[in-house]
Amino acid sequence: MGGQLKFECRLRVILAEIKAKDPSFTHEQFAERVGIGKSTLSGLINGHKLPNLENAYKIARELAKITGKSVMVEDIWILKGE
């Protein structure tokens, strides 16, 4: 019951897939579009940070716009053990 939940972050993989389709895509542009700093995005990508709920939804929404597919927060951050 106690303790923190552990998540697997797929953001690195998702952004790499976008970059493979569009070589001009940058993390800096993505961070700006989402409204977060580059260092915050880097921490999220590397699994050092978890986003607050608002930023998680902004990231999912922006990924959906870029990919043209439905992207849910739980598609990006997957609860380990599920």
Side-chain angles (χ1 to χ4, degrees):
M1 266 199 143
Q4 285 188 312
L5 298 175
K6 301 291 182 186
F7 290 89
E8 174 188 339
C9 178
R10 293 197 66 251
L11 193 53
R12 178 188 301 274
V13 172
I14 295 167
L15 293 177
E17 290 169 353
I18 293 169
K19 177 81 172 171
K21 292 179 182 175
D22 178 6
S24 68
F25 175 82
T26 68
H27 289 173
E28 184 174 1
Q29 291 170 334
F30 183 74
E32 188 175 306
R33 288 173 68 165
V34 172
I36 60 175
K38 291 187 311 184
S39 63
T40 299
L41 180 61
S42 177
L44 296 172
I45 290 169
N46 293 317
H48 299 297
K49 297 180 179 182
L50 284 174
N52 62 35
L53 189 57
E54 181 180 357
N55 285 341
Y57 273 92
K58 286 180 180 178
I59 290 167
R61 195 172 329 137
E62 192 59 38
L63 289 172
K65 286 180 191 175
I66 292 169
T67 63
K69 300 176 185 175
S70 175
V71 179
M72 307 293 287
V73 170
E74 53 266 41
D75 296 328
I76 307 166
W77 290 276
I78 302 165
L79 184 60
K80 286 187 178 182
E82 285 198 344

